[in-house]
Amino acid sequence: MSTSTRTRSSEVEKQNPGQLNSVQLNVVTLVNMGRAAATGSLKDSMYMMDNSVGGTGQGTHQLETVCKQGQVLNWIIRPIDMEKRPDGTWPPMPKISSLVFLDTERGDEEDVIERKICTELKIYGMPDRMRDPFTPVYYYWAGTILSTTRPGVYRYRLVVELEQDGKKEKLYLNTVEHPSIRVLAV
């Protein structure tokens, strides 16, 4: 390897250590749309699971996902009821409007953390725009945990946009009890 290649290689490593981790984690959230719309809350209407190793709270709204610095996380959201209805319509869909990390170090879990924990990837790849019987359709929010994020537990709040049956207005709800990520050093 030439000196200039070695220098460029070490510069890339210094700028983004952990960025080359190719395993993406999926955090899947299922929403009971009818219950959430009726109560105006995600409490007892949201169930989360992931494919991380060592995470806790599978199937609850207090999921803790274990991830590494530089790792990509895909937050996928979909309704529990995904089947086409007998009248030919589809059930309402949920969408993650935003994901904000909370400043738990200061003791107030409602304050947004001032430093950046991850970068938002926006939509990458081609999202499904049409529903059919063979292809699942869902919304997602994706981000990469910054390689400079200190190891630790970071709670977050999802802001969820819900379509409503028979209404044009959308309902916006925040998670009440907060899931978290546990960031490990690379």
Side-chain angles (χ1 to χ4, degrees):
M1 184 183 322
S2 73
T3 305
S4 64
T5 304
R6 215 175 305 125
T7 303
R8 274 183 294 194
S9 177
S10 68
E11 285 175 10
V12 170
E13 288 173 11
K14 287 178 186 173
Q15 289 174 356
N16 273 332
Q19 186 67 36
L20 302 177
N21 188 339
S22 63
V23 177
Q24 294 183 16
L25 291 177
N26 295 317
V27 179
V28 178
T29 302
L30 300 175
V31 179
N32 181 325
M33 299 290 287
R35 183 181 297 154
T39 63
S41 173
L42 292 171
K43 185 173 174 61
D44 298 325
S45 300
M46 187 175 97
Y47 312 93
M48 300 178 78
M49 59 219 94
D50 64 31
N51 63 332
S52 74
V53 176
T56 60
Q58 297 290 333
T60 73
H61 53 275
Q62 292 183 313
L63 179 69
E64 181 180 278
T65 301
V66 176
C67 58
K68 297 177 191 169
Q69 296 164 321
Q71 194 160 30
V72 173
L73 272 69
N74 300 304
W75 280 270
I76 297 167
I77 190 164
R78 54 166 280 203
I80 290 175
D81 179 14
M82 288 287 292
E83 301 297 318
K84 193 173 194 177
R85 297 172 175 164
D87 67 1
T89 62
W90 293 96
M93 292 288 288
K95 179 180 182 181
I96 298 171
S97 290
S98 70
L99 186 148
V100 292
F101 287 94
L102 304 171
D103 191 352
T104 56
E105 290 176 0
R106 292 193 300 179
D108 185 358
E109 289 211 3
E110 295 307 312
D111 283 344
V112 175
I113 199 164
E114 291 180 13
R115 66 185 179 280
K116 200 167 186 140
I117 302 300
C118 73
T119 58
E120 185 178 356
L121 295 176
K122 303 288 183 189
I123 293 177
Y124 63 95
M126 187 58 176
D128 295 321
R129 297 192 183 269
M130 297 174 36
R131 296 184 187 188
D132 69 48
F134 309 107
T135 306
V137 176
Y138 52 82
Y139 288 104
Y140 68 90
W141 192 98
T144 301
I145 304 301
L146 294 175
S147 59
T148 56
T149 299
R150 290 190 311 242
V153 175
Y154 298 90
R155 293 199 169 295
Y156 61 89
R157 177 176 57 229
L158 293 175
V159 180
V160 179
E161 174 185 297
L162 303 178
E163 293 177 348
Q164 299 182 79
D165 265 329
K167 296 181 181 179
K168 289 188 180 198
E169 312 83 51
K170 295 181 186 334
L171 185 61
Y172 292 87
L173 302 174
N174 290 297
T175 51
V176 178
E177 298 177 72
H178 308 298
S180 61
I181 60 171
R182 178 177 298 277
V183 178
L184 305 176
V186 174

